[in-house]
Amino acid sequence: MQEIKKLQRPHRLVLVRHGESKANAVLNQIIQGEIFSYPPEFATLRDWDINLTETGKSQAYQTGTYLRKNLEPFDLCYVSPQQRTRETFEKILEGYENLKIIEYLKAHTRFESRLREKDHGAVNFLAKDEIKRFFPHEFDRREREGKILYRPLGGESWYDVKDLRVGSFLNSAYRDNAGKNILVVSHSIVINCFRMKLQRLEEAEMFVTLEKEPIDNCGIVVFESDLTQGGKLVLKEWNTLAYPKHEATSQGWQP
């Protein structure tokens, strides 16, 4: 315990992607060729307000049960303020099934805007073929630059998220939470940017990681401080699932 107190970084950082959202479910239908675009109601929605599906709620509940059984208690929780991450966190808490622990975690939760999903700007809620049709120059630019470097009109690139938001968050976490166990509930791109930042992955290395190890809904990622490496946060688990793998939503092209 004395060694943990000497750490200059959190003892354990656990990242959880939100459960299946209604947008994830629609994207999967588009990828499977069942439909060709997002339904009209998505034109009136903010990405901020997308809810979970019933499947997503079940995934999150099972994730809470897994966290309670397999990891030490958390000192602090940081949650993206978007609706799907809020709902995921609520279901994770239900999975703990211990009122005292649930009340403690609620009292030690911060809704952190730096953990929000990457802003897809003008191409949000557009299928790939629609972007090609409505924004041909943007489509060509995205194909040329690659999805990690590409910054859509009015949006962010992965590097914007990694350097400006994730980097800032980690600086705060190192300063305020040395030796503590932290839970972060966020989004796929943000969690991948944590990996890029903590493991110092370059673009080409990240593409290999995305191809081999995509993160599913409610995928659990664990980094732990390694005293043999000066307290550096080292990856221990990637995309651990509390539910059967075959129930995971397919991964696909994202702007």
Side-chain angles (χ1 to χ4, degrees):
M1 184 60 72
Q2 289 181 344
E3 288 182 331
I4 291 177
K5 290 182 179 179
K6 293 178 183 178
L7 292 175
Q8 297 303 308
R9 296 176 175 84
H11 170 53
R12 180 180 290 117
L13 172 64
V14 177
L15 309 164
V16 176
R17 184 188 175 193
H18 62 79
E20 182 190 72
S21 71
K22 292 181 179 179
N24 293 149
V26 170
L27 178 59
N28 192 45
Q29 289 180 291
I30 293 172
I31 292 167
Q32 299 300 323
E34 298 171 9
I35 58 176
F36 301 102
S37 64
Y38 285 86
E41 58 263 30
F42 277 82
T44 66
L45 291 173
R46 303 183 303 171
D47 183 51
W48 201 273
D49 299 325
I50 298 298
N51 298 103
L52 295 184
T53 63
E54 291 304 312
T55 294
K57 293 176 183 178
S58 174
Q59 292 168 344
Y61 179 87
Q62 292 176 77
T63 299
T65 300
Y66 177 92
L67 295 175
R68 172 175 58 84
K69 292 180 177 178
N70 293 281
L71 291 171
E72 297 172 18
F74 294 106
D75 298 295
L76 284 164
C77 304
Y78 293 93
V79 181
S80 160
Q82 291 173 271
Q83 184 62 22
R84 57 193 179 274
T85 36
R86 287 177 179 268
E87 290 182 4
T88 298
F89 183 63
E90 289 171 4
K91 289 298 179 181
I92 285 174
L93 291 181
E94 288 182 18
Y96 269 82
E97 299 178 350
N98 182 311
L99 187 58
K100 184 175 289 187
I101 295 176
I102 291 171
E103 290 303 317
Y104 176 87
L105 293 177
K106 283 183 177 179
H108 292 81
T109 295
R110 307 289 181 268
F111 291 98
E112 174 56 71
S113 63
R114 288 175 291 185
L115 299 173
R116 69 189 185 277
E117 180 60 292
K118 182 179 95 75
D119 189 341
H120 295 297
V123 300
N124 197 39
F125 297 145
L126 291 179
K128 186 176 182 180
D129 288 344
E130 290 177 309
I131 297 171
K132 189 173 184 178
R133 184 164 74 252
F134 299 138
F135 297 101
H137 296 297
E138 282 295 294
F139 181 87
D140 291 342
R141 187 165 68 87
R142 191 267 182 196
E143 292 293 294
R144 181 175 65 252
E145 295 180 0
K147 70 178 181 180
I148 291 177
L149 282 174
Y150 171 64
R151 181 188 291 121
L153 287 171
E156 299 173 290
S157 72
W158 283 47
Y159 278 102
D160 292 332
V161 175
K162 177 178 77 75
D163 296 328
L164 302 179
R165 297 209 263 114
V166 170
S168 173
F169 175 83
L170 285 171
N171 286 338
S172 300
Y174 290 175
R175 181 191 66 221
D176 300 333
N177 301 309
K180 295 180 180 179
N181 295 325
I182 297 174
L183 173 65
V184 167
V185 181
S186 191
H187 308 262
S188 59
I189 292 175
V190 179
I191 292 173
N192 278 305
C193 286
F194 268 94
R195 186 166 186 178
M196 288 182 72
K197 191 74 173 177
L198 290 170
Q199 295 189 295
R200 300 182 181 180
L201 299 180
E202 296 294 336
E203 180 191 18
E205 296 172 299
M206 196 63 214
F207 272 121
V208 173
T209 297
L210 291 171
E211 183 69 26
K212 292 183 176 180
E213 301 178 313
I215 185 163
D216 296 306
N217 291 115
C218 278
I220 300 166
V221 177
V222 180
F223 284 90
E224 291 183 359
S225 187
D226 188 337
L227 291 174
T228 67
Q229 299 187 47
K232 177 183 176 181
L233 287 169
V234 175
L235 182 65
K236 297 295 184 180
E237 294 182 40
W238 179 262
N239 199 39
T240 299
L241 297 179
Y243 60 90
K245 173 69 175 176
H246 69 269
E247 296 179 6
T249 302
S250 298
Q251 299 295 310
W253 188 91
Q254 296 184 61

